Amino acid sequence: MEVNKIYCESNLETMARMPDNFIDLTITSPPYDNLRDYNSYFDFDNIAKELYRVTKEGGVVVWNVFDASINGSRTGTSLKQCLKFQEVGFNIHDYMIYEKNSIAFPSKNTSNKYTSIFEFVFILSKGIPKTTKLIIDKRNKYAGCSSYDGKVKEVAEFSPRTTIWKYNTSENDKTKHPAVMPEKMVSDLLWTWSNEGDLVYDCFMGSGTTAKMAHIYNRKWIGSEISKEYVNLANKRLKPYINQTSLF
């Protein structure tokens, strides 16, 4: 099959043509509980099984999701999906919070819930991740006064990032897709869990952010997208980057 190509079909059809232990890293954001119209429906249980089969030993799946509220209760779908991934064989290596720095103004009629400003990012590994390059962020020079003796405690100027990742959503690519992953978030995920030349997959390619950033960072990529409208949208966005090559 070809790499650097979006397949306009269900991801199960695409993965059916992949051999076992094929993909180094998957970065994807599936439809969230029908919170938006993505022009698609998906069979989660079988997708989880196929992702496990096609992921290499030491490979990672990044699953960015959130839940709807129905009849006053969060569905918990994202948490159920995370546990299902564990059931099919993945390790829950880590989970992060994607914090949005901007949101739509909350409705005045919302009176019993705080305004939601985050999404889950589950890091699922097939065994121990073969690649982990932690991003190092600059910290304050001093942590502050100790609660015990009042002395200033000096800390390292730089240290690994926390598990809350904040991105400027207003900088997202302006496409007609209802939910575009921040390019900076995708590039940070690519850096942390893959190397140049690795093969990256997005089973819900949408507007093509994973493909664009994979190309920029010298990774090969494959995408699946069932909506022809979104495939056309992504291909237009990716036109300067696409160079189809045969992997086998």
Side-chain angles (χ1 to χ4, degrees), residues 121-179:
V121 182
F122 297 122
I123 310 300
L124 310 152
S125 63
K126 190 170 180 179
I128 298 173
K130 63 182 176 63
T131 300
T132 303
K133 303 188 296 292
L134 298 181
I135 296 170
I136 305 298
D137 290 329
K138 188 170 183 178
R139 305 280 181 222
N140 292 329
K141 186 175 181 181
Y142 295 101
C145 293
S146 166
S147 60
Y148 296 102
D149 55 16
K151 293 182 179 179
V152 174
K153 183 183 294 184
E154 189 171 353
V155 296
E157 186 178 2
F158 296 90
S159 60
R161 177 175 293 182
T162 70
T163 53
I164 298 178
W165 291 16
K166 186 173 183 176
Y167 295 97
N168 185 353
T169 55
S170 65
E171 293 180 355
N172 287 0
D173 186 79
K174 304 300 182 183
T175 74
K176 295 180 181 179
H177 192 272

Side-chain angles (χ1 to χ4, degrees), residues 2-18:
E2 292 179 336
V3 298
N4 299 351
K5 176 178 179 178
I6 302 173
Y7 290 85
C8 187
E9 60 190 11
S10 85
N11 42 41
L12 289 174
E13 290 178 277
T14 308
M15 286 189 283
R17 294 196 300 278
M18 294 180 184

